[in-house]
Amino acid sequence: MIFSLLVYAAPHSHQGAETAYRFAVACLAQGHSIHRVFFYGDGVHGATALAAPPQDEPNLPARWQALAQTHKLDLVVCIAAAVRRGLLDANEARRYEKPGHNLQQDFELSGLGQLAEAAIVSDRLITFGA
Amino acid sequence: MIFSLLVYAAPHSHQGAETAYRFAVACLAQGHSIHRVFFYGDGVHGATALAAPPQDEPNLPARWQALAQTHKLDLVVCIAAAVRRGLLDANEARRYEKPGHNLQQDFELSGLGQLAEAAIVSDRLITFGA
Amino acid sequence: MSTNKRFLIISRRPPYGSSHARDALDTALTTAVFEQPVSMLFLDDGVYQLLQAQQPAGIQQKNLGATLSALPMYDIDQLYVCDSALRSRGLGPDDCLLPVQLLDSNAIAQLIRNHDVVLSF
Amino acid sequence: MSTNKRFLIISRRPPYGSSHARDALDTALTTAVFEQPVSMLFLDDGVYQLLQAQQPAGIQQKNLGATLSALPMYDIDQLYVCDSALRSRGLGPDDCLLPVQLLDSNAIAQLIRNHDVVLSF
Amino acid sequence: MTLHTLNRAPSNTALLADCLRACSSGDTLLLIEDGVYCALAGQPIAWPAGVTLCALAADVAARGLDSRLASNIAQADDAGFVQLCCEHTRVISWY
Amino acid sequence: MTLHTLNRAPSNTALLADCLRACSSGDTLLLIEDGVYCALAGQPIAWPAGVTLCALAADVAARGLDSRLASNIAQADDAGFVQLCCEHTRVISWY
């Protein structure tokens, strides 16, 4: 079955960010495919390259990246939600003349249309709320 | 009178971040002094240097910085809450071997003790929650 | 996009206090641009979004009510409101800035069964 | 620090779902290190923090109950719980991992009047 | 005397109840952000006796409540919010 | 048939009421995160008829509720969560 996930919760702030990751792992373990993971609202903070959690707390952006590399996941971050919250890739940093960028590798900024498209082509869309 | 503010809400996610800023402006306009503004929990996102909100939305980190320069405000961000959420200054970026840093100028990372100290020496501590 | 799915966007939060209401609205508008049929259902404090005379300039936010008023122009004209959410707040359809259809509990459960994708904010 | 102020930390949220409970606890511990008298008051879903046998390894979080158990070692031994919050959840003092004092509404209002700084999470 | 601020709508019944339970006579409750919906006329809220009620003006206007406030609720602007903080010995934020 | 997930404690009365109102007979409600507190025995919750109830095991254990669940609530692990999604035609998250 084809799943897509909508992650609307930020790591360390709301448990939904971690539940989403666990769900993705369980989903792939059962042989399902994940068409896209879409990060929206505060969920965009789950795509930062700069998170440095304590040793005994998971680094979710790093875990998503590792999962994406193994399973060729499409990790998309809502660009409008991201740039207003200070999450930029190199392009957006240039466009807005900001001193740096902080999007974790293997994540991509794109429009909300990617959420609509994911809902259309997937069998199930599961939201992880804040 | 001496005020300190505890900002526990992130810009664009919860209105509390904006209310706190308006309160600070009103406070200073009345001749009160602000000993410290302490950013904690999701509030730490109010200290990012990379926020690029739309033209018709306020850039709160930039506004706090401008206010701090005019009124010599002490803007302190809880270091434990910040680093796990991906908000780093140059020192922490080095310590955790991260590719960049994103703390807005005139903000400072420090420990939760700065909140306790602020509460002790101020006449009033006002929390702006999420 | 060949496949058509019926979308239902549930909006439960009041405007301005958090970004939920704005995010729900943006999702509805974007989905409509993808030429999918979109309905919106306002529950709980979400009904406050429909109040007239919103003036958010003083809190530095965009007028959500104004954007809501534009929904029919995007062919989002299936707008549903939980009857008890509206009335328990002392409000009625006349207080709303758009024509809405009032639903009771049974009708809400049925509305959900009639949609393929349900997103809640 | 010469001035002494009496701190009351109010903790209203359940553990694990959000960072509120952890942040309240860290604030209490830090304030105690500053040698200020600290009391804690558990209201609403905050009383769930006091339940025994928490095992959060499966959700990748630290055991909040274990940290709470250490409060007396930091001289935070004034722990108050809203009586009705506990009982309305079918719980009693025996379900709590620490000895706590139960307060009714009048006692809560008085507790607040007896503190200089009140922080709520 | 305590200033209480409340920033959630009355649908958060447990928060509102805790706030009202914590009020003593002589306290003031300032409704801010989504808390101003508590000030809507016709709400079945049992306000405690001796507690002064007000609502933050910018939030009232934002939400279209200017002509819908209950008669026992005064409005305060941002300067009034600061003044209320000065006039009370402590401030508690309910959120 | 719909799978509903709910991630808040029953003190969020309006959320729980909306969720239960939206359930049809044959639906399943999976309690996750703070939602598992709804599964605590002795809660005065009027569960709708014909709705299957379960709670996410990792969240039940985290919160110390293993021996405190109401008898009508089954536990599901993460794999079970995925299976429930497959067995229902749509999933609604109440949060």
Side-chain angles (χ1 to χ4, degrees), chain F residues 36-57:
Chain F
V36 298
Y37 290 114
C38 298
L40 198 57
Q43 306 273 335
I45 300 175
W47 300 111
V51 174
T52 304
L53 303 172
C54 35
L56 199 57

Side-chain angles (χ1 to χ4, degrees), chain E residues 27-95:
Chain E
D27 286 358
T28 299
L29 170 55
L30 174 65
L31 304 164
I32 68 170
E33 301 165 12
D34 290 338
V36 298
Y37 290 115
C38 298
L40 198 56
Q43 305 274 334
I45 300 175
W47 300 113
V51 174
T52 304
L53 304 173
C54 35
L56 199 57
D59 289 319
V60 170
R63 289 161 179 80
L65 302 185
D66 254 324
S67 60
R68 296 173 179 274
L69 291 195
S71 59
N72 58 332
I73 316 259
Q75 291 199 45
D77 61 11
D78 293 348
F81 186 177
V82 174
Q83 271 159 1
L84 284 170
C85 292
C86 296
E87 290 161 14
H88 296 77
T89 48
R90 68 185 80 70
V91 183
I92 307 183
S93 301
W94 300 93
Y95 63 93

Side-chain angles (χ1 to χ4, degrees), chain C residues 14-18 44-45 48 51-56 58-59 88-89 91 95, chain E residues 9-12 33-34 37 40-41 43-44 58-59 61-66 68:
Chain C
Y16 308 118
S18 73
D44 195 11
D45 291 330
Y48 289 133
L51 279 180
Q52 295 161 357
Q54 299 173 30
Q55 300 183 315
I59 60 166
S88 69
R89 287 167 177 77
L91 303 170
D95 297 303
Chain E
S11 58
N12 295 268
E33 301 165 12
D34 290 338
Y37 290 115
L40 198 56
Q43 305 274 334
D59 289 319
R63 289 161 179 80
L65 302 185
D66 254 324
R68 296 173 179 274

Side-chain angles (χ1 to χ4, degrees), chain A residues 18-84:
Chain A
E18 197 262 336
T19 307
Y21 174 79
R22 280 200 350 255
F23 184 91
V25 169
C27 203
L28 295 165
Q30 284 177 46
H32 299 297
S33 72
I34 296 181
H35 173 68
R36 182 169 296 139
V37 184
F38 191 84
F39 297 83
Y40 191 31
D42 289 348
V44 303
H45 291 301
T48 177
L50 303 184
Q55 298 280 355
D56 50 359
E57 289 180 28
N59 184 324
L60 281 175
R63 292 197 182 185
W64 279 116
Q65 184 190 12
L67 203 65
Q69 289 179 346
T70 309
H71 297 274
K72 305 206 187 309
L73 292 188
D74 190 28
L75 305 178
V76 177
V77 182
C78 174
I79 189 166
V83 298
R84 57 160 58 88

